[in-house]
Amino acid sequence: MLGKLEGYRIFNQVAVLGSFTKAANTLFMSQPAVSQSIAALESELGVRLFTRTRKGVVLTEEGKLLFQHVNPGINLIINGEKRVQDSKNLMEGHLKLGVGDTISRYFLLPHLESFNKSFPSIKIKIINRTTSELGELIKSGDIDLAVINLPLEDNSLDIEPIQKVKDIFVAGNRYSALKESKLSLSEVSSLPLIMLDSSSRSRQYVEDFFRSKGVDINPEIELGSHDLLLQFARIGLGVSCVVREYSEEFLKSEGLFQLELIENIPERSIGVCRLRGVEPSPAARKFIEIILSTSKM
């Protein structure tokens, strides 16, 4: 098929230029090679495609009929090849990215800004879901990659940690009496806790740690936003479990303080994940490079 396609490509160029010699020059071929290719095509089709004149060659009626179909096809192939190269060179393309709300706001925004400034022609689609849901979207091909809360165990995904984060408990001035205390996990669990909803990987990680120490957590308020965790704690509705790295501005200026624990929650990570064994698109590969270049791991 490739050999026949090359024959049609040569035929199309001769028809456009009206000359075997000019076609040979533009195709970087010898004139005899062009003549042989046209002769082979004519033999296969059983018709004559060109008539020689003093000024070059002109299409026969059969040649005109063939040209009406071949020319648009060759142009489509040329345009297709150009678009592939444009995509490879990040002149066009798509980036389908999955991320959670908190990571999107506190980690991803500067990376998205940098990527968009460098490659403004790439269309970015962002889907917000939980970590487990994003893993399934990668496997179904609905997104190219995701930036997620770890840990996530899935052998079909390549997962690379990119930043360490630490879960802490914060409170407002209503609980200022706790500032000088070091609390046990059991004491923390007895406070009016405000946490993300139970589908959150962050919430699950903290619960698993407490449970491993024989302590259960039963929050009084469950929220879907990290910002709301901070705001609710600030106005005294309870003690919120938040990510330290995403709460520093609040802790500096919003009347919040971090509770000191006798046994701190171990650090965890956020990471970028993609489908194992599948080469990422040029846009996805470049975005991963941007993230890893500023990784704090």
Side-chain angles (χ1 to χ4, degrees), residues 2-290:
L2 287 176
K4 184 178 288 188
L5 181 61
E6 178 65 9
Y8 284 128
R9 186 172 74 96
I10 295 169
F11 161 79
N12 184 73
Q13 197 70 3
V14 173
V16 169
L17 297 176
S19 166
F20 282 28
T21 301
K22 291 180 180 178
N25 291 336
T26 59
L27 295 171
F28 302 101
M29 299 173 62
S30 67
Q31 193 273 339
V34 171
S35 298
Q36 290 171 13
S37 178
I38 296 300
L41 186 59
E42 289 177 331
S43 176
E44 182 173 345
L45 296 175
V47 296
R48 197 171 69 179
L49 299 172
F50 293 99
T51 299
R52 292 183 179 274
T53 70
R54 293 181 186 179
K55 296 181 179 181
V57 294
V58 295
L59 289 165
T60 63
E61 289 303 314
E62 292 80 7
K64 291 178 182 178
L65 181 62
L66 182 63
F67 181 72
Q68 290 175 4
H69 296 276
V70 169
N71 183 254
I74 293 296
N75 287 334
L76 283 173
I77 292 171
I78 292 172
N79 288 334
E81 290 177 339
K82 180 181 182 301
R83 294 197 67 180
V84 168
Q85 289 303 313
D86 285 346
S87 176
K88 182 178 177 182
N89 296 324
L90 299 175
M91 300 299 293
E92 68 169 73
H94 296 80
L95 174 64
K96 295 177 289 183
L97 178 65
V99 66
D101 287 332
T102 302
I103 293 175
S104 179
R105 174 171 180 180
Y106 291 101
F107 174 81
L108 207 60
L109 278 179
H111 301 296
L112 284 171
E113 182 180 17
S114 175
F115 182 85
N116 185 247
K117 284 182 178 179
S118 298
F119 310 106
S121 297
I122 301 296
K123 295 180 180 178
I124 302 174
K125 178 180 180 181
I126 298 178
I127 295 178
N128 292 100
R129 295 288 190 278
T130 64
T131 291
S132 57
E133 289 172 333
L134 291 173
E136 293 304 314
L137 288 175
I138 290 175
K139 289 187 282 187
S140 67
D142 291 318
I143 57 176
D144 299 314
L145 55 94
V147 182
I148 59 171
N149 284 299
L150 301 178
L152 175 65
E153 301 295 333
D154 192 322
N155 291 331
S156 64
L157 299 176
D158 272 332
I159 302 171
E160 186 163 3
I162 52 178
Q163 185 187 44
K164 286 189 176 298
V165 294
K166 187 168 183 60
D167 299 287
I168 61 172
F169 289 89
V170 298
N173 292 330
R174 181 178 177 182
Y175 295 91
S176 58
L178 299 175
K179 283 185 178 181
E180 306 304 321
S181 302
K182 272 205 167 188
L183 304 176
S184 68
L185 298 182
S186 179
E187 289 173 320
V188 171
S189 70
S190 68
L191 296 170
L193 296 181
I194 307 170
M195 301 186 72
L196 292 173
D197 62 64
S198 59
S199 65
S200 161
R201 185 68 57 174
S202 303
R203 157 84 175 269
Q204 293 167 8
Y205 180 81
V206 173
E207 282 190 327
D208 288 345
F209 172 70
F210 271 70
R211 196 175 296 116
S212 73
K213 303 298 181 179
V215 179
D216 288 327
I217 293 180
N218 296 294
E220 293 190 4
I221 301 175
E222 295 182 337
L223 301 170
S225 163
H226 190 270
D227 276 356
L228 287 179
L229 292 174
L230 294 165
Q231 296 286 4
F232 275 40
R234 183 180 63 82
I235 64 175
L237 293 181
V239 173
S240 289
C241 182
V242 298
V243 177
R244 181 182 61 193
E245 288 72 13
Y246 305 154
S247 308
E248 290 174 348
E249 292 303 316
F250 270 79
L251 290 169
K252 289 176 183 177
S253 60
E254 295 290 341
L256 289 177
F257 67 93
Q258 177 181 339
L259 274 64
E260 295 294 326
L261 306 185
I262 296 173
E263 195 169 4
N264 289 315
I265 304 167
E267 285 186 329
R268 56 185 176 87
S269 300
I270 63 173
V272 59
C273 69
R274 59 184 178 86
L275 194 61
R276 177 166 292 169
V278 176
E279 183 68 17
S281 69
R285 185 166 57 249
K286 178 56 67 173
F287 190 74
I288 292 172
E289 289 176 8
I290 289 174

